[in-house]
Amino acid sequence: MVVGVLTLQFALHGNDSLKGKRRVAQSLKHKLRNKFNVAAAEVAMQESWDTLVLAAVTVSNDATHARGLLQKAVNMVEAAALAELVYDDIEILTL
């Protein structure tokens, strides 16, 4: 079994409330879940107004497939342009 973990960090320029941050987070999580069938959640910096950290996770039987799916998710998030992507990391865990 292979678990792929994608970590995304965004800078929310001009955001001045947690409500605004939640709106961006919900939109990105919804897109990730619907398009790539991954589990997605906000995992850090919950009280920060200008930084959003999301993680997306997939389970597969093939590491190449998991990495490819998560890389497509990164490309989609960059193209969505809801926030500036400042960091992304794909980690593949083999269990």
Side-chain angles (χ1 to χ4, degrees):
M1 175 172 54
V2 175
V3 177
V5 180
L6 170 63
T7 305
L8 302 164
Q9 182 174 341
F10 300 92
L12 304 174
H13 302 293
N15 186 45
D16 61 352
S17 70
L18 289 176
K19 187 175 181 179
K21 177 183 177 179
R22 247 190 336 266
R23 181 182 47 80
V24 173
Q26 288 296 93
S27 177
L28 288 169
K29 290 188 302 184
H30 182 74
K31 288 177 186 205
L32 287 167
R33 289 175 184 152
N34 286 342
K35 185 159 176 101
F36 300 104
N37 194 28
V38 296
E42 185 175 358
V43 295
M45 307 285 289
Q46 282 92 350
E47 298 302 319
S48 172
W49 292 357
D50 60 354
T51 303
L52 171 63
V53 181
L54 295 177
V57 180
T58 188
V59 177
S60 179
N61 60 353
D62 180 33
T64 305
H65 176 262
R67 183 175 296 283
L69 177 81
L70 295 175
Q71 185 58 54
K72 287 178 185 177
V74 170
N75 296 341
M76 185 273 302
V77 165
E78 285 179 324
L82 294 173
E84 178 190 359
L85 180 63
V86 295
Y87 174 80
D88 66 87
D89 181 51
I90 297 174
E91 185 176 356
I92 303 297
L93 308 169
T94 305
L95 305 173

